[in-house]
Amino acid sequence: MGTRGFSRWVLAIPMALLAVATLYPLLFTLNVSQKTRREYILDRFGLTDTFGVSNFVDAWNTSGLGTYALNSVIVTTGSVILLLLFGSMAGFAFSQLHFHGSKAAFLLILGALLVPFQVVMVPFFRVLGQIGLLDTHAGLILAYTAQFLPFTVFLMTSYYSRIPGEIIGAGRVDGASTFGIYLRLMLPLGRPALLSVGILNALFCWNDVLISLLTMQSADHRTLMVGVTALRGQYSDNIPLFASGVVMAALPVLVVYLFFQKQITDGVTAGSTKG
Amino acid sequence: MTDVNAARLGTRTDAGDPGVGRGPRRVPAAATSAPAPPTGPRAVGSRRRPRWTEQRVAPYLLVLPAILIVVLLRIVPLVMGANYSFTGDGDANGVWVGLDNYRTLYHDEVFQIAIKNVGLLLLALPVAVAIPGLLATFLFLKVPGYRFYRSVYFFPVVLSPVIIGAIFNVVLSFGGPANQLLARLGLEPRDWLGNSSYAMFTVIGVHIWATFGMALVIFMAGFATVDQSLLDAARSDGANLWQTVWHVIIPELSQTIQFVFVTTMIGMLTGMFGLLYIMTGGGPGGATYLPELYIWIQQGQMNRPALASAASMVLFVLMLVVGFAQLRLLKRATKET
Amino acid sequence: MPTALMNGSRSRRTTARLTAVATAPLLVVLAACGAASDANSEGASGKLVIWDWKSGDPAAQAYVDAAKADFAAKHPDVEVEFVAQPFDNYYTLLGTAIESGSGPDVVLFNGGAQLRDRVDALVPLDDYLGDNQERLTGWESFQDEGATYAVPITLQGEPFYYNKAVYEEAGLDPEAPPTTYNELTAVCDAIAETDKDCFSLGNKEGIAMEFHLSTFGPGVFSPEQYDAWLAGDRDWSSREVKQLFDMWVQQNEDGWFNDGVNSTAMFMDEFTMFQGGESGNVVGLISDVAHWKSFDEVLGDDLGVYRGPVVTEQGQSLLPAEGGIGYGVAEWTADPDLAYDLVDSLSSTAALTAFYAEAGAIASDTTIDTSDAGIPAVADITSWLPESKPSLHTALSADTLDLLHRLSQQLIDGKVTVDDALAQLAASDEQ
């Protein structure tokens, strides 16, 4: 696109300002995380004088963030595995196989996208309680799977529908069963989408507060983001400690993002563009 | 230029539609192109197929887990919630009260504000779509440093809304950095989250800040598919930047724009709870309530799960109506371009 | 996308990268699985679960340990698990637990509306109390229709704290805090000359208005009117109530508060500002949080305390105080006797002494000696307690309080008039 150099530089100004606006709150948090409680009370917005990791150590020790991080890892891993498995199975069926009620079933799952969690919150926990999964890792994994499955099925269906039908046909010629085709063709072919959708789902699960807070009632089952949120509130006026918790909780996420930037963005786009 | 466009349109409608019905529509081709399987009966005639071949059962088994989960954890609770919404709270727990809860909602000033704010969100929707769209255009034009910006802009998306809310609470506090900046520019400070006239806009602004990276990425993927020859043609016609955007890029991206509209709407109507809860708690004076927050407060603090269920049903119907209306509108708009 | 699909080498490389990142957590998961499932396999009978929002606080550790030790002496075979929930969501979590009919055996409550709204889920404790009824005070906040549902462990009240250094800077006598509303007005006028605020105020949650009612109410109401209000006979159209609301609006207009009242959180921005020396006065608490002990840590000798000023001729100067937080027994617990024994340990003199000394709470136990705290403010507070009366705002229902919160913000915003607000409150209070 042959836009003149000058106008490109003019455009660069708002772009740069926006980049500052994007980064500033994060740097601000980092700054606060370095202060002591006293320093914060006496000067809330100034630059910190102290540097070090003592707040991080405190946040980690006093609030049991170690246990919480472990729970987050367990639940996130479990949810992502289930989501990818069920999502790719359904996506394959919806995009490549012909069966009665396929459209209705697809609409049913997509329709769940329009049901905000709060809408089903009260009865949802009754159901979870009745099947005995309240306050268990399995229960939270199931809750996340239910929450993010519609999105996953949608993206996988969209991705798989770009794969030409001839590939399935070729599989059939070789005498493969439908499950065989799923295992030997669709899973490997879907790898780029599975990778990116998996990373996105991992971010969602890792960042959730609401569902986790309500599902995991006992302290040693709490997830990291809930633990961090609990560092701030009516009974904790140590904002630097909270900021440290925020930095620590966001760190793995940022690392994943920087490493897998390309895959994440591919995942986001899987459903939106023509092939 | 229009000729070229028309030609592209044909291929687009065929390959584009990301959503509903896409898969199934393609299926017949896949099915017919598949040669008859070794099992004899199928070759005899499609009408006398045996009922339970692997090929016929497999699709159902493949979608079964997803359907089970959605039905058990979304549809069943939805029906249960609809049922609760006709029962009472407190002493009337479990007692059928008919439409009482809905009547209460209808007269509740806070719930009215919540619904009104949903309208505000819908009005803000075009802005929430235009900002990332514009930015994606700039990036597409390879503004100096675009690689850096592309990474940075996605940053907020990876943070939890609750954390974003907590950060902006401090940044937007009256003595906070935002107002310090205004003061330096010689402007009056604002009570960003404390003035009921614009607190809702502040929260919407933060929500856009937190999510525009997602839409931006989708737009950029759309740009990757724009036909370079169309852009060259526009340039040789002497079109300026805005004409190019208007006549070439927007029509080319209608599919993407549609997708962004729908996902952004769902994000706004279902994803602002965390921000609201942390940043305003519905205040000041109830000015920033949304139905989700109302449900949460009624069920928790106010200990009225049945009323909360009724509010849930209203929100669900609202989502359905808005969702379908939007799909309709966008479908028509795309056909016209 | 098709390019990504075809480009095998790139996806192999990313897969390798992903494997590396994913394997480490997976190993941890495997190692952790044993521990994670253990917690569920324990029988319900040998274990009691307590919900609170305090036990995670390091300052409350001594209290928790003392209570545990006391209980272990009685029931060595029963395990006790404290679950500290985030306070912001405490009652929502509890609501979910009540909904699903399962949850903690012993529950910490704020006195007043939050408890009264949920008595259906609690065991009446009157038959269990025994000697505790004499030893502890603050019961009224935990009673509903004559039955007692929780045992108080702290008293809560709303005194005025002030910063002596700010008073001095404004040319005021740091040892003579105001006793009348005229004196308070003079204090605020003097402080207005400095760059400080007279009061730090955060009304984001709307709670500041509750405190306004309860701290200025005794100075405005006649004693009879005060008692009638508590007894449920509330005349929202009376001259005194209107005066209280007018004062709220007037104080804001006269610039007594910091800017951005409606966006400042009481917990903890308001108190952070006061402790940071940004204002001369603040209405604080006596237990739990925002109290003499936490202020003392930053302000030290500059911290002073006084009772709400007398406003009208019939008014009085008293510290509004009553039962603060207390433990109840959940209706679904397997063995209420056992659960009450735990409540008994949680309110034992040894435990409450530790709570007072370490966490900075005015305990409900009248036998605790508070003369040796080393913080002058606490001696003042305890000396005022005998004359205390319950706070005006705790007599209101959760619904009316919620409306009060919103109206107080609208009054600051100028979106509603005092008369209109009072009419709405009267209507809500009647239901």
Side-chain angles (χ1 to χ4, degrees):
Chain A
M1 183 78 202
T3 317
R4 280 61 56 189
F6 174 71
S7 65
R8 287 191 349 185
W9 279 103
V10 172
L11 288 179
I13 294 170
M15 302 290 280
L17 285 178
L18 192 66
V20 172
T22 309
L23 285 177
Y24 174 78
L26 307 171
L27 296 175
F28 179 81
T29 310
L30 194 64
N31 182 46
V32 172
S33 77
Q34 290 299 314
K35 297 189 175 193
T36 62
R37 173 171 174 263
R38 198 187 162 80
E39 199 184 337
Y40 178 77
I41 287 173
L42 296 178
D43 177 16
R44 275 171 291 158
F45 306 114
L47 273 177
T48 178
D49 299 331
T50 48
F51 290 96
V53 292
S54 66
N55 276 335
F56 295 99
V57 175
D58 284 353
W60 187 264
N61 290 338
T62 57
S63 52
L65 291 189
T67 317
Y68 301 162
L70 187 62
N71 288 331
S72 280
V73 170
I74 295 171
V75 170
T76 302
T77 314
S79 308
V80 169
I81 289 172
L82 281 192
L83 280 165
L84 292 184
L85 184 67
F86 297 162
S88 61
M89 282 162 59
F92 165 44
F94 284 133
S95 63
Q96 300 284 353
L97 304 175
H98 188 48
F99 58 103
H100 281 290
S102 129
K103 194 161 186 172
F106 190 67
L107 274 177
L108 182 78
I109 292 178
L110 270 202
L113 268 179
L114 292 176
V115 185
F117 179 70
Q118 278 84 353
V119 165
V120 292
M121 184 170 71
V122 178
F124 176 83
F125 287 103
R126 247 181 229 186
V127 172
L128 215 56
Q130 266 157 14
I131 51 182
L133 290 180
L134 214 53
D135 196 25
T136 63
H137 291 86
L140 187 54
I141 289 175
L142 208 58
Y144 283 155
T145 309
Q147 178 73 12
F148 303 119
L149 194 61
F151 170 77
T152 309
V153 170
F154 172 67
L155 290 185
M156 290 314 297
T157 304
S158 178
Y159 182 82
Y160 277 142
S161 60
R162 295 196 183 108
I163 293 175
E166 291 76 29
I167 295 187
I168 315 282
R172 296 260 190 242
V173 173
D174 294 345
S177 67
T178 311
F179 286 103
I181 293 173
Y182 168 71
L183 283 176
R184 265 169 279 143
L185 282 173
M186 297 317 277
L187 274 185
L189 282 175
R191 200 164 49 190
L194 288 170
L195 192 69
S196 47
V197 175
I199 292 169
L200 270 184
N201 275 322
L203 284 184
F204 295 154
C205 296
W206 186 267
N207 278 339
D208 166 74
V209 173
L210 180 63
I211 300 176
S212 165
L213 183 71
L214 291 167
T215 309
M216 298 301 221
Q217 300 184 333
S218 50
D220 50 357
H221 287 178
R222 205 166 277 165
T223 54
L224 185 61
M225 223 44 85
V226 173
V228 169
T229 321
L231 287 173
R232 163 206 160 276
Q234 181 160 352
Y235 286 87
S236 42
D237 60 347
N238 197 336
I239 299 294
L241 199 67
F242 169 66
S244 309
V246 167
V247 172
M248 277 193 292
L251 210 61
V253 179
L254 290 180
V255 168
V256 167
Y257 169 58
L258 291 175
F259 261 88
F260 294 106
Q261 207 173 334
K262 174 87 180 88
Q263 281 69 35
I264 292 175
T265 49
D266 283 353
V268 178
T269 55
S272 67
T273 52
K274 39 197 171 171
Chain B
M1 195 162 72
T2 41
D3 285 351
V4 188
N5 248 336
R8 297 276 311 159
L9 196 70
T11 54
R12 181 167 55 244
T13 35
D14 199 333
D17 186 356
V20 192
R22 161 99 207 249
R25 190 143 39 84
R26 235 176 188 267
V27 167
T32 45
S33 69
T39 35
R42 184 159 184 204
V44 175
S46 56
R47 287 190 188 179
R48 296 186 52 212
R49 255 178 251 163
R51 287 199 104 106
W52 301 113
T53 60
E54 197 268 355
Q55 266 193 57
R56 300 204 71 196
V57 176
Y60 295 100
L61 291 178
L62 284 169
V63 297
L64 187 66
I67 295 285
L68 265 184
I69 285 179
V70 166
V71 167
L72 184 69
L73 297 175
R74 281 295 176 280
I75 309 299
V76 168
L78 197 65
V79 174
M80 284 168 77
N83 191 28
Y84 297 160
S85 75
F86 298 110
T87 65
D89 282 311
D91 292 339
N93 186 21
V95 179
W96 183 266
V97 297
L99 291 172
D100 275 9
N101 288 321
Y102 292 93
R103 237 169 262 139
T104 310
L105 287 180
Y106 185 76
H107 293 293
D108 187 343
E109 206 184 327
V110 179
F111 193 70
Q112 289 166 9
I113 299 176
I115 297 293
K116 223 180 285 168
N117 280 339
V118 169
L120 210 58
L121 289 184
L122 295 180
L123 290 180
L125 193 57
V127 181
V129 174
I131 289 175
L134 221 55
L135 287 170
T137 314
F138 296 167
L139 291 180
F140 179 61
L141 297 176
K142 303 221 174 5
V143 171
Y146 71 99
R147 278 201 187 81
F148 170 73
Y149 296 136
R150 202 174 49 193
S151 299
V152 166
Y153 290 162
F154 197 74
F155 235 53
V157 176
V158 303
L159 293 177
S160 174
V162 172
I163 285 176
I164 290 173
I167 294 174
F168 272 93
N169 248 349
V170 186
V171 171
L172 294 174
S173 64
F174 200 91
N179 276 341
Q180 286 172 3
L181 180 70
L182 286 188
R184 210 161 290 176
L185 298 173
L187 298 170
E188 285 289 302
R190 307 221 159 259
D191 198 359
W192 298 103
L193 296 168
N195 187 314
S196 54
S197 306
Y198 51 74
M200 192 66 211
F201 293 100
T202 309
V203 181
I204 293 175
V206 173
H207 178 78
I208 292 177
W209 178 89
T211 54
F212 81 94
M214 191 73 118
L216 178 73
V217 164
I218 300 175
F219 271 122
M220 279 165 26
F223 273 115
T225 66
V226 170
D227 195 337
Q228 192 62 38
S229 63
L230 284 176
L231 295 172
D232 294 341
R235 197 172 52 163
S236 57
D237 285 356
N240 66 21
L241 177 63
W242 297 111
Q243 286 168 331
T244 313
V245 169
W246 192 250
H247 292 294
V248 181
I249 294 181
I250 289 184
E252 273 289 296
L253 287 184
S254 62
Q255 198 66 56
T256 309
I257 294 171
Q258 228 181 83
F259 183 79
V260 172
F261 253 102
V262 174
T263 49
T264 309
M265 184 218 52
I266 291 177
M268 277 195 152
L269 288 184
T270 67
M272 279 185 63
F273 171 81
L275 282 184
L276 275 183
Y277 186 75
I278 300 286
M279 292 178 69
T280 66
T288 57
Y289 260 88
L290 280 179
E292 296 162 86
L293 183 69
Y294 183 87
I295 294 166
W296 177 265
I297 301 272
Q298 287 301 337
Q299 122 87 9
Q301 254 145 276
M302 294 297 154
N303 198 23
R304 275 193 296 226
L307 186 66
S309 295
S312 303
M313 289 308 120
V314 176
L315 175 57
F316 174 60
V317 171
L318 205 68
M319 291 289 297
L320 279 187
V321 170
V322 171
F324 278 107
Q326 206 181 29
L327 278 180
R328 266 276 161 84
L329 274 174
L330 288 170
K331 278 252 165 74
R332 197 188 303 161
T334 339
K335 276 195 187 123
E336 278 167 8
T337 42
Chain C
M1 205 46 95
T3 42
L5 182 71
M6 300 313 166
N7 193 335
S9 73
R10 187 168 73 208
S11 53
R12 247 195 306 281
R13 199 171 60 227
T14 44
T15 310
R17 218 192 284 164
L18 182 74
T19 318
V21 172
T23 324
L26 264 174
L27 288 176
V28 184
V29 175
L30 290 175
C33 268
S37 52
D38 271 353
N40 298 325
S41 60
E42 275 150 354
S45 58
K47 179 174 171 182
L48 287 174
V49 176
I50 307 172
W51 276 19
D52 62 40
W53 56 88
K54 293 245 59 162
S55 58
D57 181 357
Q61 275 323 295
Y63 165 69
V64 169
D65 291 345
K68 269 187 181 165
D70 189 88
F71 185 72
K74 287 185 278 187
H75 301 280
D77 51 333
V78 178
E79 195 201 336
V80 176
E81 189 194 353
F82 281 81
V83 180
Q85 304 288 10
F87 183 76
D88 290 350
N89 295 301
Y90 187 76
Y91 290 104
T92 304
L93 290 170
L94 197 60
T96 311
I98 291 172
E99 273 298 301
S100 58
S102 70
D105 303 286
V106 173
V107 194
L108 185 63
F109 270 101
N110 293 96
Q114 292 296 5
L115 177 98
R116 289 190 187 113
D117 271 4
R118 295 174 177 84
V119 290
D120 287 349
L122 296 171
V123 178
L125 298 176
D126 299 87
D127 296 341
Y128 295 92
L129 298 176
D131 296 347
N132 284 342
Q133 222 152 2
E134 299 303 313
R135 183 172 58 89
L136 306 174
T137 63
W139 294 97
E140 299 80 6
S141 311
F142 300 102
Q143 288 167 339
D144 188 53
E145 292 175 4
T148 306
Y149 290 95
V151 175
I153 62 162
T154 67
L155 297 182
Q156 189 58 286
E158 298 89 27
F160 287 71
Y161 292 98
Y162 71 104
N163 185 335
K164 293 179 181 174
V166 174
Y167 270 49
E168 249 172 299
E169 190 186 331
L172 297 159
D173 179 358
E175 301 308 326
T179 59
T180 66
Y181 199 63
N182 284 339
E183 287 175 28
L184 179 62
T185 308
V187 164
C188 284
D189 289 345
I191 292 177
E193 301 296 315
T194 70
D195 62 341
K196 313 276 185 185
D197 300 312
C198 187
F199 278 87
S200 285
L201 196 77
N203 198 38
K204 183 173 189 163
E205 307 91 339
I207 315 173
M209 184 53 170
E210 293 181 8
F211 284 26
H212 175 86
L213 266 190
S214 291
T215 53
F216 288 109
V220 173
F221 283 8
S222 70
E224 298 74 39
Q225 208 175 2
Y226 196 100
D227 294 341
W229 174 285
L230 293 181
D233 179 12
R234 293 183 277 272
D235 181 4
W236 290 91
S237 58
S238 71
R239 192 164 45 88
E240 287 81 3
V241 175
K242 184 164 169 17
Q243 184 175 1
L244 270 173
F245 276 72
D246 283 335
M247 280 161 65
W248 169 257
V249 174
Q250 197 62 43
Q251 289 173 2
N252 180 54
E253 280 174 10
D254 289 349
W256 284 22
F257 311 138
N258 44 272
D259 291 317
V261 165
N262 276 347
S263 62
T264 305
M266 174 180 268
F267 305 100
M268 299 298 299
D269 297 347
E270 171 184 324
F271 301 117
T272 302
M273 280 155 40
F274 173 69
Q275 290 176 88
E278 294 173 33
S279 68
N281 304 275
V282 78
V283 175
L285 295 168
I286 62 175
S287 291
D288 264 10
V289 69
H291 49 55
W292 43 276
K293 193 174 168 75
S294 71
F295 292 159
D296 176 75
E297 280 167 19
V298 181
L299 294 175
D301 291 340
D302 286 335
L303 179 69
V305 63
Y306 59 97
R307 282 171 290 182
V310 175
V311 186
T312 62
E313 279 180 17
Q314 55 181 351
Q316 42 187 340
S317 180
L318 59 77
L319 172 69
E322 66 214 298
I325 55 177
Y327 287 103
V329 173
E331 170 262 333
W332 53 75
T333 189
D335 184 354
D337 292 351
L338 184 70
Y340 179 77
D341 270 358
L342 180 57
V343 173
D344 190 57
S345 295
L346 286 162
S347 53
S348 67
T349 301
L352 291 182
T353 306
F355 201 36
Y356 154 73
E358 300 298 322
I362 302 290
S364 58
D365 192 326
T366 50
T367 63
I368 295 176
D369 178 20
T370 56
S371 57
D372 57 346
I375 300 172
V378 73
D380 287 342
I381 289 169
T382 45
S383 75
W384 299 330
L385 282 174
E387 301 158 34
S388 285
K389 288 184 179 182
S391 307
L392 291 176
H393 72 262
T394 44
L396 302 175
S397 71
D399 263 343
T400 306
L401 284 175
D402 186 58
L403 178 61
L404 179 69
H405 295 164
R406 275 184 278 120
L407 289 172
S408 70
Q409 294 168 337
Q410 291 171 0
L411 284 168
I412 296 270
D413 242 2
K415 299 266 153 137
V416 71
T417 64
V418 168
D419 289 327
D420 189 13
L422 290 175
Q424 290 188 43
L425 285 163
S428 161
D429 198 22
E430 230 157 72
Q431 285 176 356

Short mmCIF file of all heavy atoms in Angstrom, two decimals, chain B residues 66-89:
data_model
loop_
_atom_site.label_atom_id
_atom_site.label_comp_id
_atom_site.label_asym_id
_atom_site.label_seq_id
_atom_site.Cartn_x
_atom_site.Cartn_y
_atom_site.Cartn_z
N ALA B 66 -20.03 -33.42 23.89
CA ALA B 66 -20.30 -31.98 23.86
C ALA B 66 -21.77 -31.72 24.15
O ALA B 66 -22.12 -30.83 24.96
CB ALA B 66 -19.91 -31.40 22.51
N ILE B 67 -22.64 -32.50 23.53
CA ILE B 67 -24.08 -32.29 23.75
C ILE B 67 -24.44 -32.57 25.20
O ILE B 67 -25.16 -31.79 25.84
CB ILE B 67 -24.89 -33.24 22.83
CG1 ILE B 67 -24.66 -32.86 21.36
CG2 ILE B 67 -26.37 -33.21 23.19
CD1 ILE B 67 -25.37 -31.61 20.94
N LEU B 68 -23.90 -33.66 25.75
CA LEU B 68 -24.20 -34.01 27.14
C LEU B 68 -23.82 -32.88 28.08
O LEU B 68 -24.60 -32.49 28.95
CB LEU B 68 -23.43 -35.28 27.54
CG LEU B 68 -24.16 -36.60 27.40
CD1 LEU B 68 -23.30 -37.74 27.93
CD2 LEU B 68 -25.49 -36.54 28.16
N ILE B 69 -22.62 -32.37 27.90
CA ILE B 69 -22.15 -31.31 28.80
C ILE B 69 -23.01 -30.07 28.67
O ILE B 69 -23.44 -29.47 29.66
CB ILE B 69 -20.67 -31.00 28.52
CG1 ILE B 69 -19.81 -32.13 29.09
CG2 ILE B 69 -20.26 -29.67 29.12
CD1 ILE B 69 -18.35 -31.98 28.88
N VAL B 70 -23.29 -29.68 27.45
CA VAL B 70 -24.09 -28.47 27.25
C VAL B 70 -25.49 -28.66 27.82
O VAL B 70 -26.03 -27.78 28.50
CB VAL B 70 -24.14 -28.08 25.76
CG1 VAL B 70 -25.22 -27.06 25.51
CG2 VAL B 70 -22.79 -27.53 25.32
N VAL B 71 -26.08 -29.83 27.59
CA VAL B 71 -27.43 -30.06 28.10
C VAL B 71 -27.43 -30.11 29.62
O VAL B 71 -28.20 -29.42 30.29
CB VAL B 71 -28.03 -31.36 27.51
CG1 VAL B 71 -29.29 -31.76 28.26
CG2 VAL B 71 -28.33 -31.16 26.04
N LEU B 72 -26.51 -30.89 30.18
CA LEU B 72 -26.52 -31.08 31.63
C LEU B 72 -26.16 -29.80 32.39
O LEU B 72 -26.75 -29.49 33.41
CB LEU B 72 -25.53 -32.19 32.00
CG LEU B 72 -25.49 -32.57 33.49
CD1 LEU B 72 -26.79 -33.26 33.88
CD2 LEU B 72 -24.31 -33.46 33.80
N LEU B 73 -25.19 -29.05 31.88
CA LEU B 73 -24.69 -27.91 32.65
C LEU B 73 -25.14 -26.55 32.14
O LEU B 73 -24.82 -25.52 32.71
CB LEU B 73 -23.15 -27.96 32.72
CG LEU B 73 -22.61 -29.19 33.46
CD1 LEU B 73 -21.10 -29.24 33.40
CD2 LEU B 73 -23.08 -29.21 34.90
N ARG B 74 -25.86 -26.52 31.04
CA ARG B 74 -26.40 -25.26 30.58
C ARG B 74 -27.93 -25.32 30.40
O ARG B 74 -28.64 -24.51 30.97
CB ARG B 74 -25.75 -24.82 29.25
CG ARG B 74 -24.38 -24.20 29.41
CD ARG B 74 -24.48 -22.89 30.17
NE ARG B 74 -23.19 -22.28 30.45
CZ ARG B 74 -22.39 -22.64 31.44
NH1 ARG B 74 -22.72 -23.62 32.24
NH2 ARG B 74 -21.25 -22.03 31.63
N ILE B 75 -28.39 -26.30 29.66
CA ILE B 75 -29.82 -26.34 29.36
C ILE B 75 -30.64 -26.73 30.60
O ILE B 75 -31.63 -26.06 30.92
CB ILE B 75 -30.12 -27.31 28.19
CG1 ILE B 75 -29.20 -27.01 26.99
CG2 ILE B 75 -31.58 -27.24 27.79
CD1 ILE B 75 -29.35 -25.62 26.42
N VAL B 76 -30.19 -27.79 31.28
CA VAL B 76 -30.93 -28.19 32.48
C VAL B 76 -30.98 -27.07 33.52
O VAL B 76 -32.05 -26.72 34.01
CB VAL B 76 -30.34 -29.50 33.07
CG1 VAL B 76 -30.89 -29.77 34.46
CG2 VAL B 76 -30.64 -30.67 32.15
N PRO B 77 -29.83 -26.45 33.85
CA PRO B 77 -29.90 -25.32 34.79
C PRO B 77 -30.79 -24.18 34.28
O PRO B 77 -31.48 -23.55 35.07
CB PRO B 77 -28.45 -24.84 34.90
CG PRO B 77 -27.63 -26.02 34.56
CD PRO B 77 -28.43 -26.79 33.54
N LEU B 78 -30.80 -23.99 32.97
CA LEU B 78 -31.64 -22.93 32.41
C LEU B 78 -33.11 -23.22 32.69
O LEU B 78 -33.86 -22.34 33.12
CB LEU B 78 -31.38 -22.83 30.90
CG LEU B 78 -31.84 -21.57 30.20
CD1 LEU B 78 -31.07 -20.37 30.70
CD2 LEU B 78 -31.65 -21.70 28.69
N VAL B 79 -33.51 -24.48 32.47
CA VAL B 79 -34.90 -24.86 32.72
C VAL B 79 -35.21 -24.79 34.21
O VAL B 79 -36.25 -24.26 34.63
CB VAL B 79 -35.17 -26.28 32.17
CG1 VAL B 79 -36.57 -26.74 32.56
CG2 VAL B 79 -35.00 -26.29 30.66
N MET B 80 -34.26 -25.27 35.04
CA MET B 80 -34.46 -25.18 36.48
C MET B 80 -34.62 -23.73 36.91
O MET B 80 -35.48 -23.40 37.74
CB MET B 80 -33.26 -25.79 37.22
CG MET B 80 -33.22 -27.30 37.23
SD MET B 80 -31.61 -27.93 37.79
CE MET B 80 -31.74 -27.69 39.56
N GLY B 81 -33.78 -22.85 36.34
CA GLY B 81 -33.84 -21.43 36.68
C GLY B 81 -35.18 -20.84 36.29
O GLY B 81 -35.79 -20.08 37.05
N ALA B 82 -35.68 -21.23 35.11
CA ALA B 82 -36.99 -20.74 34.67
C ALA B 82 -38.03 -21.15 35.69
O ALA B 82 -38.92 -20.38 36.06
CB ALA B 82 -37.32 -21.32 33.30
N ASN B 83 -37.89 -22.36 36.20
CA ASN B 83 -38.82 -22.87 37.20
C ASN B 83 -38.74 -22.08 38.51
O ASN B 83 -39.74 -21.63 39.05
CB ASN B 83 -38.51 -24.35 37.42
CG ASN B 83 -39.58 -25.02 38.24
OD1 ASN B 83 -40.73 -24.58 38.20
ND2 ASN B 83 -39.21 -26.03 39.00
N TYR B 84 -37.49 -21.86 39.00
CA TYR B 84 -37.33 -21.07 40.24
C TYR B 84 -37.94 -19.69 40.12
O TYR B 84 -38.38 -19.12 41.09
CB TYR B 84 -35.85 -20.85 40.59
CG TYR B 84 -35.04 -22.06 40.89
CD1 TYR B 84 -33.65 -22.00 40.81
CD2 TYR B 84 -35.63 -23.24 41.28
CE1 TYR B 84 -32.88 -23.11 41.08
CE2 TYR B 84 -34.86 -24.35 41.55
CZ TYR B 84 -33.49 -24.29 41.45
OH TYR B 84 -32.72 -25.37 41.71
N SER B 85 -37.86 -19.16 38.91
CA SER B 85 -38.25 -17.75 38.77
C SER B 85 -39.73 -17.55 39.05
O SER B 85 -40.18 -16.43 39.22
CB SER B 85 -37.89 -17.24 37.37
OG SER B 85 -38.79 -17.74 36.42
N PHE B 86 -40.48 -18.65 39.11
CA PHE B 86 -41.90 -18.53 39.44
C PHE B 86 -42.17 -18.88 40.90
O PHE B 86 -43.31 -19.01 41.31
CB PHE B 86 -42.74 -19.42 38.52
CG PHE B 86 -42.64 -19.03 37.08
CD1 PHE B 86 -41.99 -19.84 36.17
CD2 PHE B 86 -43.17 -17.83 36.64
CE1 PHE B 86 -41.87 -19.47 34.84
CE2 PHE B 86 -43.06 -17.45 35.32
CZ PHE B 86 -42.40 -18.27 34.42
N THR B 87 -41.09 -19.08 41.68
CA THR B 87 -41.28 -19.36 43.11
C THR B 87 -40.79 -18.16 43.92
O THR B 87 -40.19 -17.24 43.37
CB THR B 87 -40.50 -20.62 43.54
OG1 THR B 87 -39.10 -20.35 43.40
CG2 THR B 87 -40.88 -21.81 42.69
N GLY B 88 -41.03 -18.21 45.23
CA GLY B 88 -40.72 -17.06 46.07
C GLY B 88 -39.39 -17.18 46.79
O GLY B 88 -38.68 -18.18 46.68
N ASP B 89 -39.03 -16.11 47.52
CA ASP B 89 -37.82 -16.10 48.32
C ASP B 89 -38.19 -16.05 49.79
O ASP B 89 -39.31 -15.72 50.15
CB ASP B 89 -36.98 -14.86 47.99
CG ASP B 89 -36.22 -15.04 46.69
OD1 ASP B 89 -35.58 -16.07 46.53
OD2 ASP B 89 -36.30 -14.13 45.84
#
